[in-house]
Amino acid sequence: MSRRRHSDENDGGQPHKRRRTSEPIEIEDRLESLICRVGEKSTSSLESNLEGLAGVLEADLPNYKNKILRILCTVARLLPEKLTVYSTLVGLLNARNYNFGGEFVESMIRQLKETLKSNLYDEALYLVRFLSDLVNCHVIAAPSMVAMFENFISVVQEQDGPQVRCDWYVYAVLSSLPWVGKELYEKKDVEMERILNQIESYLKRRQKIHVPMLQVWTAEKPHPQEEYLDCLFAQVQKMKKDRWQERHILRPYIAFDSVLCEALQHNLPPFTPPPHSEDAVYPMPKVVFRMFDYTDAPEGPVMPGSHSVERFVIEENLHCIIKSHWRERKTCAAQLLSYPGKNKIPLNYHIVEVIFGELFQLPQPPHIDVMYTTLLIELCKLQPGSLPQVLAQATEMMYMRLDTMNTTCIDRFLNWFSHHLSNFQFRWSWDDWSDCLTQDLDKPKPKFVKEVLEKSMRLSYHQRIVDIVPANFSALIPANPIFVYKYMDESSSSLPGYPVTIAISNAIINRSSNDEILTILKDVPNPNQEDDDDEGDSFNPLKIDVFLQTLLHMAAKSFSHSFSALAKFHEVLKSLTDSDEGKLHILRVVYEAWRNHPQMISVLIDKMIRTQIVDCAAVANWIFSPDMAHDFTRFYVWEILHSTVRKMNKHVQKIQKELETAKEKLEKQHSRKKDSGDEEEDKNSDEEDGLLEEQIERLQEKVESAQSEQKNLFLVIFQRFIMMLTEHLVRCETGGVDFNTPWYKNCIERLQQIFLMHHQTIQQYMVTLENLLFTAELDHHILAVYQQFCALQM
């Protein structure tokens, strides 16, 4: 009876059990939520929230200490924008429980070592900054923090380490000083002076060959594009001159000074930077992006100067907010606009500058390009009365400075601008840009407007673009994207192969097979052959012309129709392009037929590479061929080339991954065989081993073949660049004219772009490139690009 009553009360006892086991999980989730949300909007003050949370955590320490330690170490690493909030919380917990403070410091040092070992240098940077702020909260003793910084700076004395390694350790120290410089100088002024002198001497002897390759603008006016360490050192020096005063860091620990100053402090365990290893991938150097200064924000708070430490702190915090919330554009926009101390600064100007700084960052932006577009749209929605005006001002400024803007950044600018316009009915004050109508079409401004309109057409349709721009812009409006069929009507009947196009057309309508089509094409005369030449298998351009022109014309209705046509007659196309000349000619025919529709050219070539009708090297050779000279500087051409290189790289990575998986599988089988004593099982596993070894051998050959193809692709690209640029330089020197034309700027910066966008892959082939192409005899203008690239990972 009593048993039945017990089960009635608890529904068989099971839920009661489940509740008991889930209770600790609920408490852990609650703790995580409380810690992660502290410092967000609340009816209470931040100080009272921190005091309340410290009380809750202290009460839970006996049961959930490890969980609390883990959460606090994680937020220190992943939520750097709330650094001082969490350092204050740790300070309050240390004041109440000294042992917990010691364990937290040890956990942080452990985590710092792990992040450095795993090449997570951004996270390591935030951990160092957090540890330094714990000095302000009386958790860590200032002398031990100075000792750690001294160990960091000792890296610059290493003889064989790369410069990027020294850069990171110097940056880690300098970027912590806005938070802790005052405290350290008060306690250890002699040692800090020595550290800053060592940094200054390192910065003076440091190589800066890489800087031109990373600058958004080549001109130093109106805002110099400074190397990031030089800029930060100037900001720290100014802060030191101002007696370490700064006004933008939220410092909640000041309110608890009476409590925190009573706490016992911990010494950091001795920390030696891990030695340099070949596997280490240090962050690349950067150039600080500047677009605005105090004269650009018309009224309201003044923008801090470029060498004031406040500028660094604001930008760093905005970068951190984007890094934490970039996946959720609405949250990210809201967090940026609720930046603490926003009333003291022209926040919209800072946000726009930081977002464009990330979008234009070379070699790659931190996040995908489209994220920045959606984030700016979201910000415009949240601040419709002020942010669109700042964005329009920024766009105008960038347009005015197009002459000196890096070509890669112009690509990103036009991608962003056309996408942005498509979300606002393509409204823009085009008349303000009518100055571009009086310039040559190859100059940056008219070229930019033309490319923006072409890109906008992809997001709309031709007539819409015609309607949105003023009539006097007609020269820049893209062509109507119609198919150009050279065998269109009776007037084309005199063209060679015209009768065959009619036969092909009828055969396609009658659903003829690939073999039947090939039979029709057999009779097409070869313009490359003499009448008495019996070699029927040589490359015949006319066959490709009549078949592909007719096929694409019949499938011109949409992308899908074109894809289906290529798939259906794949066999015919493969047989027509079994030679290198055939592959080149098929690309020429696609270009001739669809020259008014660059997007169609891009997607058809993409499809042809995927289906192996053409290969990557053929696409590269075609782009650099005289046939494409007219379009060489157009955006879509480089879109095709980069897409081709990426496809090649992905193909190599895919096979390499398959090879690694097979090797791991074999290794597991070997270890399993050692542990097992079963003869029957061993016999089976020997057979499996044999099959796996064969598979590994095949994959090894595929990897070598793919890498050889990849290397060849880069050799083709760089060789063609060198030939074109050398011819241009020699021609200009012979004719006594200035070589620095818009074409030259575009071409040399496209060469830089190839190096930057595919730097990880190109680094594998540096020795080959240096021995075969980028030799000392090469013109110094071209060689300089290669040297700048090498300097990026020095």
Side-chain angles (χ1 to χ4, degrees), residues 39-42 81-82 250 317-318 321 325 330-343 345 347-348 351 379 382-383 387:
E40 290 177 11
K41 275 188 179 174
S42 163
E81 68 273 20
K82 293 206 280 186
L250 178 72
N317 284 332
L318 294 175
I321 290 169
H325 303 287
K330 290 184 183 223
T331 313
C332 191
Q335 290 284 343
L336 287 170
L337 291 172
S338 57
Y339 177 72
K342 59 184 176 182
N343 300 326
I345 53 170
L347 182 62
N348 287 345
I351 289 173
L379 287 162
L382 291 175
Q383 292 271 21
L387 209 131

Side-chain angles (χ1 to χ4, degrees), residues 27-28 30-32 34 53-68 93 97 100:
I27 292 171
E28 287 180 8
R30 182 176 62 86
L31 288 172
E32 191 167 324
L34 284 171
L53 180 56
V56 170
L57 295 179
E58 187 195 9
D60 282 325
L61 276 180
N63 299 321
Y64 300 102
K65 183 177 71 180
N66 289 341
K67 177 71 179 175
I68 293 167
L93 285 169
N97 187 324
F100 174 79

Side-chain angles (χ1 to χ4, degrees), residues 224-287:
Q225 307 296 302
E226 289 180 281
E227 218 274 344
Y228 78 126
L229 278 181
D230 289 346
C231 183
L232 180 54
F233 186 68
Q235 289 165 330
V236 167
Q237 287 287 64
K238 187 175 183 307
M239 188 189 187
K240 180 188 163 197
K241 195 177 164 190
D242 296 342
R243 300 176 178 230
W244 300 98
Q245 297 301 315
E246 68 70 44
R247 298 170 195 83
H248 281 280
I249 295 176
L250 178 72
R251 297 185 187 266
Y253 36 76
I254 292 170
F256 299 104
D257 195 47
S258 56
V259 178
L260 297 176
C261 70
E262 296 295 317
L264 292 170
Q265 292 174 308
H266 304 268
N267 282 319
L268 285 168
F271 183 87
T272 309
H276 171 61
S277 73
E278 291 305 311
D279 303 334
V281 183
Y282 301 101
M284 278 196 179
K286 294 194 288 274
V287 166

